[in-house]
Amino acid sequence: MPPQQSTAKMQAEIEQLQAEADIPREKVSVAAQSIKQYCNSNKDYMIPSVWGKEPAQANKFKGKAGACLIL
């Protein structure tokens, strides 16, 4: 590889790293608190310790059929 291509590739990599370094960061403790607040304020039955079991009538996508039989 000619030196000019190598230099151009390295310059592109440096620019990419500088752009990523400028991305605003959030502390893990702040992000965790935000997730906790979201989970406590939005009903999600995948978190039964907070919201309990899902009421049967709440799942409108659940089928009416019984068991599936494969012959």
Side-chain angles (χ1 to χ4, degrees):
M1 181 173 358
Q4 295 165 343
Q5 286 181 341
S6 177
T7 303
K9 189 174 180 180
M10 290 173 61
Q11 184 63 33
E13 182 72 21
I14 290 170
E15 289 172 6
Q16 178 65 32
L17 291 170
Q18 288 173 337
E20 290 177 14
D22 291 338
I23 295 173
R25 309 289 182 200
E26 190 169 301
K27 290 185 176 186
V28 173
S29 59
V30 174
Q33 184 63 34
S34 175
I35 292 170
K36 183 178 176 184
Q37 181 180 6
Y38 176 84
C39 290
N40 285 327
S41 62
N42 294 289
K43 283 196 175 188
D44 185 353
Y45 292 107
M46 294 298 287
I47 312 171
S49 62
V50 176
W51 297 107
K53 290 188 176 184
E54 178 180 20
Q57 69 274 13
N59 188 351
K60 62 183 177 183
F61 299 106
K62 187 174 182 180
K64 306 284 185 216
C68 176
L69 298 175
I70 298 176
L71 300 175

